[in-house]
Amino acid sequence: DDDDQMDAADQTTELFRLSDASGSMNFKQVKSGSVDKGDLDTSDVFIVDTKASLFVWIGKGTSAGEKKNAMQYAHKYLMKTDHPLLSVSCMKEGKESRTFFAAIAA
C-alpha cells in the first residue's frame, strides 16, 4: 500500500524552535518525546511534529521575521522527512485548537 510508504518510521513526537534572537534565523530540534505547553516560549515559533500531524505554533512575542518564515521552515522540514505529506496546522498563541492540545498531551 502506497500510503504506508509515507508514514514515519519513528513515531516519536519532536519539537523544533525557529528563532532569530541571535541575529540570524535559527531552526533546531529542542526536544524529543513528550511535549507540553510549558515547552513553548512566547517569543518564538515552534514546530511540533507528532508524525500524524505537524503544528506550527506562533508565540505572541514572535518577531516579524519568525512569523514570515514559519510555514517555509515547516515545509522545508517536512520535505526532508520520511513523512512529507502530513497536514500542517498553523496557530497563534492563545488561539490553539483542541486538536493541538490533545496532540501535545498524548
Side-chain angles (χ1 to χ4, degrees), residues 67-103:
K67 287 177 190 172
K68 183 178 176 183
N69 286 287
M71 293 302 286
Q72 180 181 344
Y73 274 82
H75 178 72
K76 279 186 192 176
Y77 163 74
L78 273 180
M79 291 301 103
K80 294 177 184 175
T81 70
D82 63 351
H83 52 285
L85 300 179
L86 290 186
S87 64
V88 178
S89 300
C90 185
M91 60 205 60
K92 293 179 180 178
E93 180 179 3
K95 305 282 187 189
E96 299 92 346
S97 66
R98 276 185 254 151
T99 308
F100 173 73
F101 286 123

Side-chain angles (χ1 to χ4, degrees), residues 3-14 16 48-54 74-75 77-88:
D3 287 346
D4 291 340
Q5 293 177 1
M6 291 298 170
D7 291 341
D10 177 2
Q11 293 292 313
T12 305
T13 296
E14 294 176 297
F16 299 85
V48 182
D49 182 1
T50 67
K51 307 305 185 337
S53 295
L54 193 81
H75 178 72
Y77 163 74
L78 273 180
M79 291 301 103
K80 294 177 184 175
T81 70
D82 63 351
H83 52 285
L85 300 179
L86 290 186
S87 64
V88 178

Side-chain angles (χ1 to χ4, degrees), residues 12-69:
T12 305
T13 296
E14 294 176 297
L15 178 67
F16 299 85
R17 178 190 294 250
L18 178 64
S19 176
D20 61 5
S22 67
S24 60
M25 203 59 70
N26 186 5
F27 179 72
K28 67 179 181 181
Q29 182 176 345
V30 292
K31 195 167 185 189
S32 181
S34 177
V35 174
D36 63 47
K37 193 170 192 305
D39 296 322
L40 307 175
D41 178 347
T42 191
S43 64
D44 289 320
V45 168
F46 286 85
I47 294 174
V48 182
D49 182 1
T50 67
K51 307 305 185 337
S53 295
L54 193 81
F55 297 95
V56 178
W57 183 89
I58 300 174
K60 289 180 180 176
T62 301
S63 74
E66 291 165 349
K67 287 177 190 172
K68 183 178 176 183
N69 286 287

